[in-house]
Amino acid sequence: VESLPLMYRNVFLLAQLDPSVNSNSYGEDNPYDAWASNNMRIGGSGVFTNDLQVDGSPSGITVKTGYVPAPDMVAEVNVLQNASDAEYGHSSGSAISIVLKSGNNEFHGSGFGYFQRPDWNAIDDRVYRVHNGISKSMYGGTFSHPIIKNKLFNFVSYEGWDKLEPSSILNSLPTERER
């Protein structure tokens, strides 16, 4: 998972790398988007009919996703077409199963940061010289360590996301002659 392209930091969307997956997503740029994770057809199944699992537990709440783990804490993603085993009997479609990382006997950690600032963005409208005012910050990390050597381990992950998209509404009032 660490070296795969992941545009929106939603690990369920890695299923789109499978050639049998047809995505109906339309640009969900929120890493915890509740609709994006299940908005795919896998092996000819219907949209919103997939079983989403995290460590063997169902993650879906109706057609939405209940929990989307941060990509830094995911060890593997499996796509099962037409899963007919009782283990995947929570839906009529296919299954996307995610296995999380776990702690170990050594201290490990990672960190990341993605920052987009308005003064770093390109000009949005070249005629009126309007700057793009979008500001995004995504940051986080992981930490793994032993609590009791060879018996009890801990793995912690944190991901923060701040987004600001200012918008303008231009209205005009009627003049005296127009009233």
Side-chain angles (χ1 to χ4, degrees), residues 5 31 52 84 104-105 107 110 114 137 139 148 163 170 172 179:
L52 308 175
S84 57
N104 56 30
N105 275 327
F107 287 88
S110 67
Y114 165 79
S137 297
Y139 46 89
I148 301 173
K163 183 177 179 181
L170 300 175
S172 59
R179 291 185 209 171

Side-chain angles (χ1 to χ4, degrees), residues 23-42:
S23 175
N24 294 329
S25 296
Y26 41 89
E28 295 90 349
D29 62 347
N30 183 344
Y32 307 108
D33 192 289
W35 291 100
S37 303
N38 206 359
N39 195 7
M40 306 180 237
R41 297 177 190 275
I42 300 175

Side-chain angles (χ1 to χ4, degrees), residues 25 55 68 71 79 92-93 95 97 100-101 120 151 155:
S25 296
D55 278 344
V68 179
V79 178
S92 62
S97 178
L100 300 180
K101 293 178 183 177
W120 300 343
K151 294 188 183 218
F155 183 82

Side-chain angles (χ1 to χ4, degrees), residues 103-108 143-155:
N104 56 30
N105 275 327
E106 298 178 14
F107 287 88
H108 287 285
F143 183 64
S144 170
H145 63 91
I147 296 173
I148 301 173
K149 193 161 177 107
N150 294 328
K151 294 188 183 218
L152 187 60
F153 315 104
N154 192 17
F155 183 82

Side-chain angles (χ1 to χ4, degrees), residues 4 20 22 37-38 67 73 101 108 112 129 132 141 173 175:
L4 292 174
S20 67
N22 178 12
S37 303
N38 206 359
Y67 173 63
M73 63 187 302
K101 293 178 183 177
H108 287 285
F112 74 93
R129 309 289 294 170
N132 186 341
L173 298 173
T175 62

Side-chain angles (χ1 to χ4, degrees), residues 23-138:
S23 175
N24 294 329
S25 296
Y26 41 89
E28 295 90 349
D29 62 347
N30 183 344
Y32 307 108
D33 192 289
W35 291 100
S37 303
N38 206 359
N39 195 7
M40 306 180 237
R41 297 177 190 275
I42 300 175
S45 67
V47 179
F48 302 122
T49 61
N50 302 310
D51 186 20
L52 308 175
Q53 293 188 357
V54 176
D55 278 344
S57 297
S59 178
I61 301 172
T62 65
V63 297
K64 293 185 176 183
T65 307
Y67 173 63
V68 179
D72 300 320
M73 63 187 302
V74 173
E76 64 182 65
V77 177
N78 296 311
V79 178
L80 303 164
Q81 290 184 32
N82 306 321
S84 57
D85 191 6
E87 179 181 359
Y88 307 103
H90 303 285
S91 67
S92 62
S94 300
I96 302 172
S97 178
I98 290 178
V99 178
L100 300 180
K101 293 178 183 177
S102 61
N104 56 30
N105 275 327
E106 298 178 14
F107 287 88
H108 287 285
S110 67
F112 74 93
Y114 165 79
F115 305 99
Q116 177 183 351
R117 298 284 179 255
D119 48 338
W120 300 343
N121 296 341
I123 294 173
D124 207 20
D125 187 343
R126 292 176 186 238
V127 175
Y128 295 105
R129 309 289 294 170
V130 176
H131 285 273
N132 186 341
I134 295 174
S135 176
K136 289 183 188 178
S137 297
M138 296 176 83

